[in-house]
Amino acid sequence: MQTDLWKGKTIVITGGSSGIGEALLESLSQVPCKLINLSRSEPELVRKISKKKEKRPAEIFHIQADLSSEKEINKAVAKLAKLTDGIDVLFNNAGITAHSRFDQTQIEAFRRAFDVNFFGPVFLTMRLLPFLKKNKGAVMVTSTVSGLYGIPARSAYSSSKSALHAVMESARIELSEEGLRFIIFCPPYTKTNLRSNGIDGDGQKLEEPHYSGKSKTPQEVAEKMIRSIEDPNSRLVVMDKSGLFVQWMRNISPSFLEKVLYKKLYKDFH
């Protein structure tokens, strides 16, 4: 982290109560800046600071909100406006996964995935544009390699993230002359509660165990996200070979990519 670049900045993080969002909050709290977290539950770090069990260089605020609700986003933005009139970085990090075969997925599961992964971050970004424009800020969305191509057993998840990519890319071009930046960040498998808190084809809680293969820690992902914000050329960021493979093969040989995905994820959709 280039600490000097973050000093005095105003940073908004969604989903800072766990996983990658919590790691971002932890890392950035070491810098004298203003951190505003938006999530349904209060982060442990905020509770510790409020009880004076810990002290950090950063000013940290928590605004409770269900970010799948436009009404709650509007309320959250009204509260945020009392804390600041400008935003330097918005980490649109909150999200939900959805696992099921397409022919076993109810439309309610698609709606839920889109409410959390697409409509929520898009509406929040729209509402915060005046704050971002004032500071010529950056917006980063936490996406997934599954957003780069339609992944088997992830149709609702992949499509909600892919749609988010398109909005961010459009906004990047349109608002570049106003000094705004839009970055799509696709982490690999990460040790979080994403799977256990995801949904199945009926829209019910997934409660699936964490991926047992090689994966990154939330801290490793957060560090890469911070470095990507620091890089003025960041647009679409992937962290590992599997992400690069999907990113390139979708254009070079989609038929080969589909064969690889079919073989690798066969058990997921059978």
Side-chain angles (χ1 to χ4, degrees), residues 174-238:
E174 296 166 1
L175 298 172
S176 60
E177 63 184 6
E178 297 189 51
L180 272 66
R181 299 168 57 214
F182 293 83
I183 304 164
I184 301 163
F185 190 90
C186 299
Y189 288 116
T190 307
K191 297 174 183 177
T192 68
N193 295 324
L194 186 67
R195 287 193 172 201
S196 60
N197 293 328
I199 57 173
D200 61 19
D202 295 319
Q204 302 301 310
K205 193 170 182 180
L206 191 62
E207 295 185 344
E208 190 174 289
H210 175 68
Y211 174 66
S212 58
K214 187 177 180 181
S215 56
K216 299 289 186 181
T217 66
Q219 291 74 25
E220 288 175 313
V221 174
E223 288 171 9
K224 178 64 175 178
M225 292 172 78
I226 290 169
R227 292 198 301 271
S228 297
I229 292 286
E230 295 169 349
D231 181 358
N233 296 313
S234 291
R235 284 173 173 78
L236 173 64
V237 182
V238 294

Side-chain angles (χ1 to χ4, degrees), residues 41-53:
S41 57
E42 186 178 53
E44 179 64 25
L45 178 59
V46 176
R47 287 197 290 270
K48 288 179 179 178
I49 291 172
S50 64
K51 293 178 181 178
K52 298 182 179 180
K53 292 184 177 181

